[in-house]
Amino acid sequence: MGISNADFEKMYTEAVKKCNADRKQIDIDSLLKWGGKSKLKEVLFDSEKILAVTSADEYRDGITDHVFQSFLTSNALVLTNMRLLFMSKKLFGTTVKEITLKQFKRIEWIETYVFKFEDFKVITGEKELKIIKEMIYQMME
């Protein structure tokens, strides 16, 4: 059955605002504009709720957040009530990496703007990651 487009848009918009309230509207509008929103809607379970959405990228050692911040628009970090998704635009489609709620305790918080899960590192804004981290900890209680 799935969620209606109107309900999805409302839930998505509220989740984006939660992490990106102080960002320029153009940055917010660029999140997942490459077809990622339709992919996100496609991968959500019927009972899944989007809690937070922000731009992110794979972290490559040696590149700081100051260099990366303005370029974080192609990929997104999405927290739902069931999992954490990293969505990345690739040449031939969108890849989705996920960390389930049960795996949250295995997340390693490396820096104020970087976290690691197994061998995969993600970078996002310091404020945005703090919001997501706090939400994750609340979900783990």
Side-chain angles (χ1 to χ4, degrees):
M1 182 170 195
I3 187 169
S4 73
N5 286 336
D7 289 341
F8 173 81
E9 283 297 327
K10 181 180 178 190
M11 180 172 49
Y12 173 81
T13 301
E14 289 173 7
V16 169
K17 287 180 182 176
K18 204 170 283 178
C19 281
N20 302 282
D22 60 348
R23 287 226 179 142
K24 295 176 188 165
Q25 189 62 40
I26 194 166
D27 293 336
I28 293 171
D29 292 342
S30 68
L31 271 173
L32 298 175
K33 75 175 186 179
W34 36 265
K37 277 187 8 182
S38 60
K39 181 67 172 180
L40 175 58
K41 186 174 184 234
E42 179 184 310
V43 300
L44 287 178
F45 299 114
D46 289 345
S47 61
E48 200 165 13
K49 303 291 181 222
I50 304 169
L51 304 175
V53 179
T54 192
S55 57
D57 210 338
E58 287 186 57
Y59 180 73
R60 294 166 201 88
D61 293 329
I63 300 177
T64 68
D65 64 328
H66 301 295
V67 173
F68 243 52
Q69 277 306 310
S70 61
F71 302 107
L72 294 177
T73 55
S74 294
N75 306 317
L77 193 60
V78 180
L79 178 65
T80 74
N81 61 324
M82 300 172 78
R83 56 197 169 149
L84 182 64
L85 304 169
F86 175 74
M87 302 184 67
S88 180
K89 180 183 181 221
K90 300 291 184 191
L91 186 59
F92 296 107
T94 303
T95 61
V96 180
K97 295 183 182 186
E98 71 176 33
I99 303 168
T100 65
L101 183 62
K102 290 181 180 181
Q103 296 171 315
F104 281 175
K105 64 182 176 268
R106 295 176 45 205
I107 295 173
E108 180 182 345
W109 307 99
I110 298 176
E111 298 180 46
T112 56
Y113 52 87
V114 179
F115 75 89
K116 178 181 176 185
F117 178 75
E118 294 177 357
D119 63 343
F120 182 70
K121 293 180 186 177
V122 175
I123 181 171
T124 190
E126 184 175 338
K127 178 188 145 287
E128 293 85 353
L129 190 58
K130 183 178 180 183
I131 291 167
I132 289 175
K133 183 177 180 181
E134 183 177 336
M135 293 174 85
I136 285 173
Y137 281 166
Q138 288 174 357
M139 294 168 70
M140 291 170 57
E141 292 178 346

